[in-house]
Amino acid sequence: MPDKMSTRKINSFQKQKNKQEMQKMVVSFALMIFFTLVAFALVALEIPSTYVIPLLLILAVVQVGFQFFYFMHLKDKGHEVPAQIIYGGIFVTVLVALTFTVITWW
């Protein structure tokens, strides 16, 4: 009988953990939709591009962060290697962009 009780406790704990994880994913999805609507609103209001472009880039970076951590599960244990590959790709991309920027403007 104690074995069944411990199994029920584990199942209850796992259900609670899954529920919390789903709530986090729904909230992050809602935030990404909100950020997308804000981006469309910024463009539709025809605000000068000197203000809009940096805001759009910030919103894009935040959305990418949400997608990496919540929808690609990079925050979970056991995902260190894919995370390192993605971060390495981001580093190389930024490095190449900076290199071409310096070459072009120098």
Side-chain angles (χ1 to χ4, degrees):
M1 191 67 148
D3 187 35
K4 272 194 166 191
M5 286 300 280
S6 64
T7 304
R8 285 184 187 161
K9 286 182 182 179
I10 291 172
N11 287 341
S12 174
F13 174 75
Q14 191 63 36
K15 284 181 183 179
Q16 182 67 22
K17 187 176 175 184
N18 289 344
K19 182 180 177 183
Q20 290 173 347
E21 183 69 23
M22 183 59 73
Q23 287 174 344
K24 289 179 184 177
M25 290 181 79
V26 168
V27 168
S28 68
F29 181 72
L31 283 172
M32 286 191 294
I33 296 293
F34 175 73
F35 291 152
T36 301
L37 292 174
V38 169
F40 277 114
L42 287 172
V43 173
L45 292 175
E46 297 180 1
I47 300 172
S49 62
T50 55
Y51 300 113
V52 172
I53 291 173
L55 287 173
L56 290 177
L57 290 174
I58 290 170
L59 288 173
V61 168
V62 170
Q63 283 186 328
V64 166
F66 276 130
Q67 289 177 3
F68 279 162
F69 287 107
Y70 286 104
F71 293 107
M72 295 179 76
H73 303 285
L74 293 185
K75 63 179 176 34
D76 297 339
K77 287 187 177 182
H79 292 258
E80 291 83 14
V81 173
Q84 288 176 350
I85 291 170
I86 289 173
Y87 296 141
I90 291 170
F91 175 73
V92 168
T93 302
V94 169
L95 190 64
V96 168
L98 285 174
T99 302
F100 285 136
T101 302
V102 169
I103 288 173
T104 302
W105 286 350
W106 196 16

